[in-house]
Amino acid sequence: MKTLPRILALAALAAVMSTSARAEDVKAGDLVITQAWTRATPNGAKIGGGYLTIENKGTTPDRLVSGSADVAGKIEVHEMSMDNGVMKMRALDKGLTIEPGKTVKLGPGGYHLMMFDLKNPLKQGDKVPVTLEFEKAGKVSVSLDVQAVGAQAPGGSDHSGHGDHSGHMDMKKM
């Protein structure tokens, strides 16, 4: 008999947790933005990365063209890739297209937001307000949850540092 109350308590906890996770989803036009996060940066770091998932539920493409935040002097949309064992990063001058019915994930080692000229270190547990600018959806406010240095996903703590712009990339991969 003690098992049933525990199962019910766990089910209730799971429902509350999934509801709170969805509460941070941001809808802008046909776009749904989820899992917005960044990594903590060491004192003195001047650059950081921003990560999120964008789903286009519409019938026409949209494009993430830029971003801005009080914490950074400038935000650009970047792509990181490996070419013959060499990590390359470049700004996407024309932005990042989100095709209709598709989901684009910005994460370590791939597409990401590059935050330049950080005014303060990003501290684990904080939230960083960022304004994204889309070609069609316009300006959209999101909040990046600051995860641990080296995190590979929200709530994750992989200290490999792949694609980490906080000053301690894994040089063996380059």
Side-chain angles (χ1 to χ4, degrees), residues 1-172:
M1 292 300 279
K2 291 182 180 181
T3 305
L4 184 58
R6 284 185 185 156
I7 291 172
L8 292 174
L10 287 172
L13 179 63
V16 168
M17 289 177 70
S18 66
T19 302
S20 66
R22 272 190 241 116
E24 295 194 28
D25 293 0
V26 175
K27 293 184 171 80
D30 292 329
L31 303 179
V32 179
I33 302 164
T34 59
Q35 298 179 336
W37 66 284
T38 186
R39 292 182 175 128
T41 57
N43 286 335
K46 292 295 177 193
I47 54 178
Y51 314 107
L52 47 94
T53 300
I54 307 166
E55 181 182 3
N56 185 343
K57 294 187 174 210
T59 56
T60 59
D62 204 340
R63 183 184 313 267
L64 173 61
V65 292
S66 67
S68 62
D70 289 342
V71 73
K74 176 169 72 166
I75 296 180
E76 295 178 352
V77 181
H78 277 219
E79 177 183 32
M80 187 175 288
S81 61
M82 292 297 285
D83 184 17
N84 293 325
V86 177
M87 190 177 295
K88 294 188 174 190
M89 186 171 49
R90 68 181 180 101
L92 298 177
D93 296 330
K94 296 180 181 178
L96 177 60
T97 301
I98 300 92
E99 296 292 342
K102 301 287 185 193
T103 298
V104 176
K105 185 172 181 131
L106 283 73
Y111 298 119
H112 59 279
L113 300 175
M114 190 77 188
M115 297 183 282
F116 293 95
D117 303 320
L118 290 176
K119 297 172 182 154
N120 299 302
L122 305 178
K123 295 187 184 330
Q124 185 173 351
D126 286 353
K127 292 187 179 291
V128 177
V130 172
T131 300
L132 304 175
E133 187 161 350
F134 292 90
E135 192 173 77
K136 294 188 174 125
K139 291 186 177 182
V140 180
S141 296
V142 299
S143 184
L144 304 178
D145 291 330
V146 183
Q147 303 294 318
V149 171
Q152 290 298 300
S157 184
D158 173 354
H159 292 281
S160 66
H162 301 297
D164 185 359
H165 297 301
S166 63
H168 68 272
M169 289 180 104
D170 185 351
M171 300 306 276
K172 292 178 288 196

